Amino acid sequence: MKKLHAQLKTFFSLIILLSLAMGLPCSLLAQHSPIGKTINPYVYVSQKEVITHHACVVSAHPLASEVGRWILQQGGNAVDAAIATQLALAVVYPAAGNIGGGGFMVIHLANGKNTVLDYREEAPGKATRDMFLDSLGNPDSRLSLYGALSAGIPGTVAGLWQAWKKYGHLPWRQLVQPAIDLAQQGFAITAMEARWLNESRQDFLTYNTQPVAFVKDTPWKAGDTLRQPELARTLMLIRDQGKKGFYTGRVAHQIVQTMQHHHGLITLQDLRQYRAIERQPLIFDYKGYTIVTVPPPSAGGIMLQQMLGMISFYPIDQWGYGSPQATQLMIEAERRSYADRAQYLGDPDFVKIPIAQLTSADYLQQRISSYTPGKATPSRATQAGDFTHESEETTHLCVLDESGNAVSATYTLNNLYGSKLIVEGAGFLLNDEMDDFSAKPGSPNLYGLTGSEANAIAPHKRMLSSMTPTIVLKNEKPYLITGTPGGSTIITSVFQTIVDILDFHLSPYEAVNNPKFHHQWLPDVVYVEKGFPDSLAKALESMGYRLAEREAIGRTELIVHPEGETITGVGDHRGDDAVAGY
Ligand code: DON
């Protein structure tokens, strides 16, 4: 009997060892996931503001924020939580959360280190400069926005894997398992998701030849369960093999096969060679705060530095929030910065960007000195791009953990559900990020942004982005963590959020939710959100500005933590965004 007992003990020990070596089978791992236990994927609420003491996660979906909090409570750090939250968003927020897209992660470690992971998509090796021009030489945005040709080589999985290898703490599989469970068991969709899925139904049918989880016979409604078994299988490969589970083997073949069926360009070689790049963040001072933000190939950091730099020469805090003077100055700073973007910015591994000149105090002072208080500076006359109809389908998340590590990450498929093309058999959407290149110098892209040679298409080049994940430090500790989706409006939203808090002393809730405005040089229009004060609009119009109303400007996530005080997390009321803290 004793011998049998000993043999059984050895047998079970071997099974456990084998399981550990293989990354643990699902049944065992299910115990290491909160889904269906502390997190109910069918009943949840969206907490818009949380004031707490220890740690906080803000993301575009309540379930993803809860996954992030659970990771922190399991002893994970901010990087672990950011990874798990992004993987959960790839399931519960498929319009923008992704494994088929790319993004940027700004990390501040409690030991003082600041770093950035660039997991932006790249043009495929076979991409060519004029690939989106029609026979008359005009950009054909159907090709750069829909289907296989619009997809850049995805970067998200490489980025998350590299972040974990270098800065993560918990086992990788524990970060992936909640996403697998959400995909496998399904979750109740929100009203917004139901509306988007219904609106995109025809696109899913047009751009896919195989059945997809996002299409069903009757319209989607809030509370319906969305199950994604193919995506769950893909995530299991990522759980068990890490980056290799995506860029080689079955998933890589599925991507390439989908490309072949739909005339796309991405090859096995493209996938194998893709690397996330760790970059030096852009760090600068603003009125005694240290801003840590993203460098090229996002335009966001340089432009944020330019805008904050330009306004710093004026007593904007005395003019006050919502005053015509302060608002005009901010608009003029935005205009000048977007004009520079169009000319100078692109992938720094391909073009030389004069960062030092563009951000020097002398240059910025001279640049803003051409503005006349009380009178709009005209941008050069041009046709407006198709810009106002755009929705906000990138996604941002902020994490602050108990030790003072902070992460600000923005990632995307580009617009709503990206290219609408789902990798056959693998259940995930591919991005349509190729549209962020300048298909033809001077021609506006989806966001009305024009570009120059600096952002022309070239094989393995990264398309210029507006994503601006940012961490503001005070006395070397995270004071404010923010970012947002919104295409070209991302940078102006982050700019306004920072100024609203640091200069105008608005509450975090107001800084996120008050109506925003946006100017991007071309078209020469100030976009304002519904609810923008009438008196301010009239004052701007009398200075010569043309105003146009648009639905939403961004969907800002924000954590504010003044030293020694409580932590406030705010999720934007414009979407399903939610905070989870403890
Ligand atoms: O990287 C960029 O700048 C864009 N692809 C971001 C897209 C976005 O924010 C979608 N929302 N409108």
Side-chain angles (χ1 to χ4, degrees):
M1 190 63 195
K2 232 177 171 179
K3 199 171 162 201
L4 182 68
H5 188 244
Q7 277 172 345
L8 276 174
K9 215 170 138 189
T10 317
F11 175 73
F12 283 119
S13 307
L14 270 174
I15 293 276
I16 288 170
L17 275 176
L18 208 67
S19 305
L20 281 171
M22 294 175 66
L24 287 176
C26 240
S27 55
L28 220 63
L29 270 171
Q31 296 162 20
H32 295 285
S33 160
I35 308 303
K37 299 180 184 72
T38 51
I39 299 179
N40 182 342
Y42 310 111
V43 184
Y44 51 86
V45 286
S46 173
Q47 301 265 14
K48 291 296 184 193
E49 182 174 40
V50 169
I51 297 174
T52 187
H53 288 93
H54 302 286
C56 191
V57 181
V58 194
S59 85
H61 198 284
L63 289 171
S65 297
E66 283 188 39
V67 165
R69 174 176 53 190
W70 180 80
I71 289 289
L72 293 175
Q73 287 170 328
Q74 301 304 300
N77 62 20
V79 175
D80 291 322
I83 294 168
T85 304
Q86 284 177 83
L87 290 166
L89 283 168
V91 180
V92 299
Y93 193 61
N98 68 78
I99 52 174
F104 297 92
M105 193 187 299
V106 176
I107 301 173
H108 167 82
L109 297 178
N111 67 13
K113 179 173 178 143
N114 297 303
T115 190
V116 172
L117 278 165
D118 160 8
Y119 45 104
R120 180 70 161 163
E121 299 90 328
E122 268 178 24
K126 287 190 200 149
T128 54
R129 186 181 184 283
D130 297 335
M131 64 188 275
F132 296 120
L133 300 188
D134 64 16
S135 55
L136 299 173
N138 296 318
D140 181 349
S141 61
R142 272 172 318 160
L143 293 179
S144 58
L145 286 170
Y146 294 95
L149 219 49
S150 69
I153 306 165
T156 296
V157 176
L160 302 189
W161 176 251
Q162 190 159 327
W164 173 75
K165 269 183 57 175
K166 202 144 174 208
Y167 303 109
H169 176 61
L170 289 182
W172 169 254
R173 56 183 178 271
Q174 198 172 348
L175 310 183
V176 191
Q177 191 60 38
I180 297 173
D181 291 348
L182 286 164
Q184 214 162 31
Q185 295 174 27
F187 65 98
I189 62 168
T190 64
M192 190 170 80
E193 192 69 57
R195 179 163 54 83
W196 286 349
L197 286 172
N198 292 331
E199 283 168 6
S200 306
R201 182 175 199 276
Q202 194 47 54
D203 283 341
F204 290 135
L205 291 172
T206 303
Y207 293 100
N208 295 279
T209 42
Q210 297 195 354
V212 300
F214 303 133
V215 174
K216 65 183 182 76
D217 293 340
T218 52
W220 291 96
K221 53 184 187 339
D224 282 353
T225 299
L226 175 61
R227 284 194 188 83
Q228 301 170 80
E230 288 183 342
L231 176 58
R233 280 198 293 280
T234 301
L235 288 167
M236 284 178 205
L237 285 171
I238 294 170
R239 175 195 65 198
D240 297 339
Q241 298 171 21
K243 179 186 164 188
K244 280 193 181 148
F246 185 89
Y247 291 92
T248 60
R250 194 181 84 192
V251 177
H253 280 95
Q254 286 167 321
I255 295 173
V256 172
Q257 244 168 29
T258 307
M259 288 291 133
Q260 284 161 358
H261 293 167
H262 298 270
H263 313 293
L265 300 182
I266 300 173
T267 61
L268 285 175
Q269 166 63 16
D270 283 339
L271 292 165
R272 242 196 327 269
Q273 65 78 48
Y274 183 86
R275 301 274 177 278
I277 302 173
E278 185 160 8
R279 296 189 188 271
Q280 289 292 332
L282 210 69
I283 302 182
F284 59 93
D285 177 80
Y286 180 66
K287 299 186 178 173
Y289 295 87
T290 306
I291 315 269
V292 182
T293 187
V294 67
S298 178
I302 291 182
M303 292 177 62
L304 183 63
Q305 184 170 3
Q306 287 195 311
M307 292 176 199
L308 289 171
M310 283 189 254
I311 67 166
S312 69
F313 300 110
Y314 301 85
I316 194 161
D317 46 346
Q318 288 166 33
W319 291 345
Y321 172 77
S323 64
Q325 288 138 298
T327 311
Q328 189 207 358
L329 175 64
M330 290 170 80
I331 289 169
E332 292 301 338
E334 292 175 7
R335 182 199 309 273
R336 285 158 177 74
S337 184
Y338 278 90
D340 281 357
R341 169 201 176 119
Q343 183 60 32
Y344 295 112
L345 303 191
D347 182 344
D349 296 341
F350 283 70
V351 291
K352 190 151 172 36
I353 303 176
I355 300 187
Q357 279 124 304
L358 286 171
T359 56
S360 82
D362 286 350
Y363 172 75
L364 295 174
Q365 187 162 27
Q366 169 254 314
R367 189 101 174 96
I368 194 68
S369 65
S370 62
Y371 115 93
T372 313
K375 192 166 181 297
T377 316
S379 299
R380 74 174 150 80
T382 190
Q383 281 288 99
D386 182 16
F387 170 76
T388 49
H389 301 126
E390 242 354 273
S391 50
E392 313 300 312
E393 279 54 78
T394 291
T395 189
H396 182 81
L397 55 119
C398 307
V399 186
L400 177 64
D401 72 18
E402 281 198 61
S403 316
N405 302 300
V407 172
S408 184
T410 314
Y411 76 143
T412 186
L413 291 166
N414 197 17
N415 63 335
L416 190 81
Y417 304 109
S419 65
K420 323 295 191 258
L421 175 64
I422 290 141
V423 175
E424 292 166 0
F428 66 90
L429 281 151
L430 285 168
N431 65 84
D432 60 337
E433 218 75 69
M434 290 295 284
D435 190 70
D436 276 352
F437 277 118
S438 181
K440 182 181 177 183
S443 288
N445 75 352
L446 174 66
Y447 306 107
L449 292 168
T450 53
S452 67
E453 204 54 46
N455 191 31
I457 304 173
H460 298 298
K461 188 172 173 184
R462 296 181 183 205
M463 54 295 281
L464 187 63
S465 175
S466 299
M467 288 185 270
T468 315
T470 298
I471 300 174
V472 178
L473 308 175
K474 176 87 185 160
N475 300 329
E476 292 166 30
K477 296 205 172 64
Y479 178 85
L480 183 161
I481 307 162
T482 194
T484 177
S488 54
T489 69
I490 290 174
I491 309 162
T492 46
S493 293
V494 170
F495 169 51
Q496 283 165 60
T497 305
I498 291 175
V499 174
D500 285 354
I501 300 265
L502 302 189
D503 287 300
F504 299 138
H505 308 293
L506 259 54
S507 72
Y509 188 87
E510 291 167 324
V512 168
N513 293 313
N514 282 7
K516 294 200 163 60
F517 55 89
H518 170 75
H519 194 293
Q520 60 177 49
W521 177 54
L522 297 175
D524 194 349
V525 172
V526 183
Y527 292 99
V528 297
E529 279 187 296
K530 276 201 178 78
F532 190 78
D534 263 356
S535 54
L536 182 53
K538 288 208 173 76
L540 291 171
E541 276 164 351
S542 74
M543 296 177 194
Y545 293 94
R546 189 155 74 81
L547 267 62
E549 194 174 273
R550 55 170 281 168
E551 285 242 320
I553 298 186
R555 223 169 261 146
T556 303
E557 319 292 18
L558 175 65
I559 298 176
V560 180
H561 186 209
E563 202 172 352
E565 296 180 26
T566 49
I567 301 166
T568 304
V570 180
D572 202 314
H573 72 172
R574 296 168 182 84
D576 294 326
D577 310 53
V579 191
Y582 66 93

